[in-house]
């Protein structure tokens, strides 16, 4: 996924170069095509802003001074995100409920990155419900222990939902249906979850809305000792 974000940024950069060249040619025309050059320069600026916004957001997510991997209690991580984002969700009339499971494994994870993922999923859910007026804007965050011991988190909304035929597209960089969306939130979320050896996916609800879920495996024991080994497990 990181490679695909890099690919998109480099596409944007080559677009910028192409447009800058077109702009120069338009100015060199006899008579100069000033209106065309202005429009092309504006496109160049838009693309450059887009590329630098992507870089800014990637920095924000990945440039923790030192990537801190610690044992993370997923439920506590959720509670902290809600403490930060709760006000924003209330402003958007989202009614947040939580169902946090007992007995989840402590995850070996970068807490700040996991919280970025949770926050992104909550904000997307609130966005998806922004125009819903005929039902309460219910938002549910659940955690669950999977049968293989992994921890799962789900964010379920009752928003506009998505067309199941394009579910893969949602995670592609720059796919956005929002007027001011960058379309990079889910791509970054997936990168983060995969760097934790986990999975992130989306499913349409039976009723209205969508559910975005991730699952992260429990950390393996520090030292795995094979039968013939003379080492002692710690
Ligand atoms: N909960 C949801 N319900 C329905 N569609 C969703 C949901 N979450 C995401 N999407 C769709 O996936 C697209 C991509 O989401 P993503 O978070 O990557 O980008 P974005 O929210 O548009 O912009 P940003 O870069 O600011 O996050 C959204 O534009 C929207 O169409
Ligand atoms: Mg988003």
């Amino acid at each position: 996924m990181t490679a695909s974000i890099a690919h998109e940024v480099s596409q944007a950069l080559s677009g910028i170069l192409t447009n800058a060249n077109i702009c120069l040619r338009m100015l060199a025309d006899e008579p100069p095509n000033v209106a065309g050059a202005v429009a092309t320069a504006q496109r160049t600026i838009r693309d450059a802003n887009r590329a630098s916004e992507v870089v800014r957001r990637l920095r924000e997510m990945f440039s923790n001074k030192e990537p801190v991997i610690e044992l993370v209690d997923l439920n506590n991580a959720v509670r902290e995100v809600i403490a930060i984002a709760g006000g924003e969700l209330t402003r958007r009339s989202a009614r947040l409920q939580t169902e946090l499971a007992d007995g989840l494994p402590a995850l070996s994870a970068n807490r700040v990155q996991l919280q970025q993922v949770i926050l992104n999923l909550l904000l997307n859910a609130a966005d998806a419900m922004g125009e819903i007026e005929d039902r309460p804007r219910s938002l549910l965050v659940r955690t669950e222990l999977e049968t293989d011991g992994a921890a799962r988190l789900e964010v379920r909304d009752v928003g506009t939902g998505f067309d199941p035929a394009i579910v893969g597209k949602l995670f592609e960089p720059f796919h956005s249906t929002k007027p001011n969306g960058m379309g990079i939130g889910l791509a970054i979320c997936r990168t983060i979850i995969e760097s934790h050896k986990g999975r992130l996916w989306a499913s349409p609800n039976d009723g209205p809305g969508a559910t975005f879920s991730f699952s992260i495996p429990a950390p393996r024991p520090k030292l795995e000792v094979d039968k013939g080994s003379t080492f002692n497990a710690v």
Side-chain angles (χ1 to χ4, degrees), residues 55-140:
V55 171
R56 190 188 66 72
R57 284 181 53 179
L58 288 174
R59 277 231 182 90
E60 191 178 282
M61 294 238 184
F62 293 108
S63 76
N64 298 333
K65 265 123 241 133
E66 60 218 68
V68 199
I69 297 295
E70 52 191 333
L71 284 179
V72 176
D73 177 328
L74 187 58
N75 290 341
N76 273 342
V78 169
R79 289 187 194 100
E80 284 175 20
V81 172
I82 291 172
I84 294 163
E88 175 65 19
L89 297 174
T90 310
R91 257 194 304 288
R92 302 207 208 169
S93 311
R95 294 197 200 162
L96 180 67
Q97 279 192 304
T98 53
E99 283 176 18
L100 305 180
D102 292 329
L104 296 181
L107 298 175
S108 169
N110 182 316
R111 187 172 50 83
V112 175
Q113 285 185 1
L114 277 195
Q115 289 181 320
Q116 295 274 12
V117 173
I118 299 166
L119 180 63
N120 266 292
L121 297 181
L122 286 175
L123 293 178
N124 274 350
D127 286 343
M129 299 195 293
E131 281 166 17
I132 302 298
E133 304 291 353
D134 62 341
R135 52 183 179 265
R137 296 180 186 170
S138 312
L139 180 53
L140 174 65

Side-chain angles (χ1 to χ4, degrees), residues 1 9 28 32 36-37 44 68 74 92 129 142 144 156 165 188 212 220 232:
M1 272 322 276
V9 173
T44 311
V68 199
L74 187 58
R92 302 207 208 169
M129 299 195 293
R142 290 185 66 233
E144 191 182 332
R156 168 183 288 260
I188 293 176
F212 283 73
R220 296 157 76 100
N232 292 319

Side-chain angles (χ1 to χ4, degrees), residues 152-205:
R152 177 194 292 205
L153 178 141
E154 290 178 0
V155 174
R156 168 183 288 260
D157 64 59
V158 296
T160 50
F162 58 83
D163 174 1
I166 57 135
V167 61
K169 270 213 153 292
L170 307 185
F171 297 91
E172 282 176 13
F174 304 127
H175 170 83
S176 179
T177 53
K178 303 173 193 172
N180 298 314
M182 289 278 305
I184 192 144
L186 286 176
I188 293 176
C189 289
R190 191 169 255 182
T191 305
I192 290 175
I193 296 300
E194 287 180 353
S195 78
H196 287 80
K197 302 188 178 64
R199 291 191 312 124
L200 168 68
W201 69 99
S203 357
N205 293 340

